[in-house]
């Protein structure tokens, strides 16, 4: 592809051969911004073509220009021109973003000059008025990439400019500035070198109060507008609430060495609980078909992420929040308070919060109490005062008889794809995101921590289900499946409390022999339960009876995979 001779481009020829007409792809081009834009625009337009005969040469030309001084200034000129085709502008942003990774560092081959970088930095934050959402996001990301390398030393004006821009009353400009503010904060928070951490601490201290005020303003605006019928205004204010909360999350979690000593940080964290209640109540009036519903749920989940991340990074600073966190999570997940407002992802987050507090090693005193820190003893005391016998009993019963129950969807999946259902149940870190694995992991952790209290509770549930269950009583069948699941999950904790051999002979073996189709979930659960206990407490003399039962189960194709899994366990014992 040859450049139009009318375009004023200054060329430095590399070789004599190039002077005789070598394709311009091998030329080094110093681009004048105004004159070069048209030729680069033409090539970018060709690079968006679906015709490979047009596309490939254009991509090759752009690749050649990547290292030419002035090229990124031309790209900036193109993607900030809102009159041009969106696809061309999108491609210009992507090439610019990739160029930052390759050529922005001073030590990079073909690095951009300091003069050009200074011009580009100024151009990137000159206007926050990009009308296309996808392009606006990409511009925010590329600004964050530059900030990671240059802010604050080479780009001290970035944060002040963003802070001023998010105050602008123009909706579009305010949103784009807030979007950029979030991506910049997120990127700077991710830097891990000690010097970079110190810079971020200084940044957080300087802008935290302003960001809290900004978040409160947008949150209050949303809560006021929720009573109106202006869905556009509601959606816009909710989006700003979400973005400002994202900024606060990064500042709160990563911006302070000892956040519990900062009154504003702790004030924000305590405010999270009240805001969560307000937003959960909003979900009553914003139905699942409402355009704001998805964003509302994202905001609610983001509140819980603030708490989870803060607990993970600053367990001792979280101590003053333990009581309130447990009260909040248990109330919404294990009592009637959550009815009509909670949704699955929120339940999972609340359960993970409870689990992290229960299992947190920072809150576990040493065997020799005198060796424990005062912070550890204080946290342990708060936990002990909350997890009373009635509270633990209610949590255990609710987990087993409510959350462990198989749903219609799960039963259908098991009928149609039993092998896939088994994999779904046991997959990796699924407990972090999926309800059933999450409830099971929480049960295991709580039962391990408080087994002396919970063992009699679980055994009482087992005793209430002795003997065969009426196949027409679907609810009792589901509860029995759930209780057996709990006994299998707590096998190691129940070692001294359950005579499993006797239970196998008197109850479980008989249940494996019930052939009614509605009893299939129980047969499946029993063989799984035996698989859990086989390495814990099972007399080898009983194996012939077990193998005979397994052979009978092999006639049920839906149970074959589960039996094979069980045999894999027993064959290694």
């Amino acid at each position: 592809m040859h450049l139009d001779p009318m375009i004023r481009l200054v060329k430095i020829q590399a070789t004599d051969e190039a002077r005789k007409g070598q394709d311009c792809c091998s030329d080094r081009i110093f681009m004048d911004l105004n004159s070069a834009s048209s030729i680069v625009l033409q090539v970018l337009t060709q690079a968006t073509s679906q015709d490979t005969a047009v596309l490939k040469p254009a991509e090759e030309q752009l690749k050649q220009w990547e290292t030419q001084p002035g090229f990124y200034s031309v790209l900036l000129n193109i993607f900030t021109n809102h009159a041009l085709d969106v696809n061309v502008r999108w491609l210009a942003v992507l090439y610019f973003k990739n160029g930052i990774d390759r050529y922005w560092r001073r030590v990079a081959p073909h690095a951009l000059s300091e003069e050009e970088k200074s011009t580009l930095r100024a151009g990137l934050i000159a206007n926050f008025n990009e009308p296309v959402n996808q392009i606006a996001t990409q511009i925010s990301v590329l600004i964050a990439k530059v900030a990671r390398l240059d802010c604050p030393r080479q780009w001290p004006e970035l944060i002040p400019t963003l802070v001023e821009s998010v105050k602008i009353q123009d909706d579009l400009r305010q949103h784009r500035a807030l979007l950029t503010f979030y991506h910049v904060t997120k990127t700077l928070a991710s830097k891990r070198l000690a010097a970079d951490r110190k810079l971020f601490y200084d940044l957080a201290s300087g802008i935290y109060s302003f960001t809290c005020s900004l978040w409160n303003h947008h949150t209050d605006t949303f809560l006021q507008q929720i009573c109106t019928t202006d869905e556009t205004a509601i959606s816009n204010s909710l989006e700003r609430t979400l973005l400002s909360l994202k900024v606060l999350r990064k500042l709160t979690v990563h911006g302070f060495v000892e956040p519990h000593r900062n009154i504003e940080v702790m004030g924000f964290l305590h405010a999270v609980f009240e805001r969560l209640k307000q937003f959960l109540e909003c979900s009553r009036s914003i139905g699942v078909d409402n355009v704001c519903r998805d964003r509302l749920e994202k905001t609610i989940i983001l509140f819980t992420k603030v708490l989870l991340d803060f607990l993970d990074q600053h367990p001792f600073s979280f101590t003053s929040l333990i009581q309130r966190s447990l009260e909040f999570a248990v109330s919404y997940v294990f009592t009637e308070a959550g009815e009509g407002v909670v949704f699955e992802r929120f339940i999972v987050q609340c359960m993970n919060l409870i689990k992290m507090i229960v299992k947190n090693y920072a809150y576990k005193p040493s065997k020799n109490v005198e060796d424990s820190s005062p912070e550890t003893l204080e946290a342990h005391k708060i936990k002990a005062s909350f997890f009373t016998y009635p509270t633990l009993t209610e949590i255990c019963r609710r987990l087993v008889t409510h959350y462990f129950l198989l749903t219609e969807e799960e039963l259908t999946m098991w009928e149609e794809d039993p092998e896939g259902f088994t994999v779904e149940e046991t997959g990796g870190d699924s407990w972090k995101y999926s309800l059933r694995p999450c409830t099971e992991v929480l049960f295991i952790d709580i039962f391990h921590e408080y087994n002396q209290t919970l063992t009699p509770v679980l055994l009482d549930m087992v005793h209430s289900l002795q003997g065969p269950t009426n196949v027409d009583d679907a609810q009792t069948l589901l509860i029995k499946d759930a209780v057996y699941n709990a006994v299998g999950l707590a096998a190691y904790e129940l070692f001294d409390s359950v005579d499993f051999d006797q239970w196998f002979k008197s109850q479980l073996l008989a249940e494996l022999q019930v052939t009614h189709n509605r009893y299939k979930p129980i047969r499946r659960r029993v063989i799984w339960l035996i698989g859990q206990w086989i390495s814990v407490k099972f007399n080898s003399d009983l194996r012939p009876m077990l193998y005979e039962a397994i052979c009978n189960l092999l006639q049920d194709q839906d149970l074959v995979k589960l039996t094979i899994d069980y045999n894999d366990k027993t064959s290694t014992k």
Side-chain angles (χ1 to χ4, degrees), residues 324-360:
R324 198 167 184 184
S325 297
L326 290 173
E327 289 174 351
F328 177 87
V330 170
S331 172
Y332 276 99
V333 174
F334 296 109
T335 73
E336 290 74 22
E339 291 182 3
V341 295
V342 299
F343 50 95
E344 183 172 316
R345 187 77 178 96
F346 174 73
I347 294 172
V348 169
Q349 292 291 93
C350 286
M351 288 187 175
N352 285 337
L353 184 60
I354 298 170
K355 166 189 159 54
M356 284 183 67
I357 293 174
V358 168
K359 199 176 180 180
N360 202 305

Side-chain angles (χ1 to χ4, degrees), residues 188-429:
L188 296 180
S190 68
K191 301 178 76 172
R192 290 293 173 259
L193 294 178
D196 294 326
R197 302 302 312 141
K198 175 65 169 61
L199 288 172
F200 191 71
Y201 296 150
D202 293 341
L203 169 66
S205 297
I207 65 173
Y208 196 84
S209 179
F210 166 77
T211 310
C212 276
S213 299
L214 186 70
W215 167 69
N216 273 315
H217 167 72
H218 289 308
T219 303
D220 289 337
T221 301
F222 165 71
L223 292 173
Q224 291 165 6
Q225 290 177 338
I226 199 69
C227 301
T228 70
T229 57
D230 189 345
E231 289 191 354
T232 301
I234 294 172
S235 179
N236 288 340
S237 60
L238 181 55
E239 172 69 10
R240 285 159 179 72
T241 300
L242 182 62
L243 286 173
S244 55
L245 181 58
K246 285 182 176 182
V247 176
L248 264 184
R249 175 191 175 197
K250 294 301 178 183
L251 296 177
T252 302
V253 175
H254 302 290
F256 300 89
V257 179
E258 296 180 310
H260 60 283
R261 298 185 185 278
N262 187 296
I263 296 175
E264 286 186 309
V265 171
M266 299 312 294
F268 162 67
L269 289 168
H270 281 286
V272 163
F273 297 99
E274 293 305 318
R275 293 303 196 183
L276 259 173
K277 290 178 182 178
Q278 293 173 329
F279 275 69
L280 285 167
E281 284 302 312
C282 285
S283 67
R284 295 184 189 275
S285 57
I286 297 180
V288 292
D289 297 329
N290 192 294
V291 292
C292 295
R293 179 69 188 198
D294 182 61
R295 193 169 291 158
L296 177 67
E297 291 189 0
K298 284 182 179 178
T299 306
I300 291 171
I301 294 304
L302 187 60
F303 279 121
T304 64
K305 287 181 178 179
V306 171
L307 297 174
L308 286 165
D309 289 353
F310 191 79
L311 172 57
D312 180 58
Q313 294 293 318
H314 307 283
F316 289 129
S317 293
F318 194 86
T319 300
S320 64
L321 300 165
I322 292 176
Q323 180 76 19
R324 198 167 184 184
S325 297
L326 290 173
E327 289 174 351
F328 177 87
V330 170
S331 172
Y332 276 99
V333 174
F334 296 109
T335 73
E336 290 74 22
E339 291 182 3
V341 295
V342 299
F343 50 95
E344 183 172 316
R345 187 77 178 96
F346 174 73
I347 294 172
V348 169
Q349 292 291 93
C350 286
M351 288 187 175
N352 285 337
L353 184 60
I354 298 170
K355 166 189 159 54
M356 284 183 67
I357 293 174
V358 168
K359 199 176 180 180
N360 202 305
Y361 289 106
Y363 302 156
K364 293 181 184 293
S366 304
K367 290 184 179 179
N368 185 357
V369 177
E370 295 178 354
D371 295 333
S372 302
S373 68
E375 294 85 359
T376 296
L377 294 176
E378 174 65 18
H380 181 72
K381 180 181 177 181
I382 296 171
K383 282 174 54 182
S385 68
F386 179 82
F387 286 111
T388 60
Y389 176 79
T391 299
L392 287 169
T393 301
E394 180 61 26
I395 290 174
C396 181
R397 289 189 178 276
R398 184 83 169 173
L399 279 172
V400 175
T401 62
H402 179 74
Y403 289 107
F404 277 16
L405 296 185
L406 290 169
T407 64
E408 285 295 329
E409 182 182 358
E410 288 171 324
L411 288 170
T412 301
M413 181 179 179
W414 181 57
E415 286 285 347
E416 297 176 352
D417 182 16
E419 183 174 347
F421 177 65
T422 306
V423 173
E424 180 78 13
E425 277 196 318
T426 58
D429 286 342

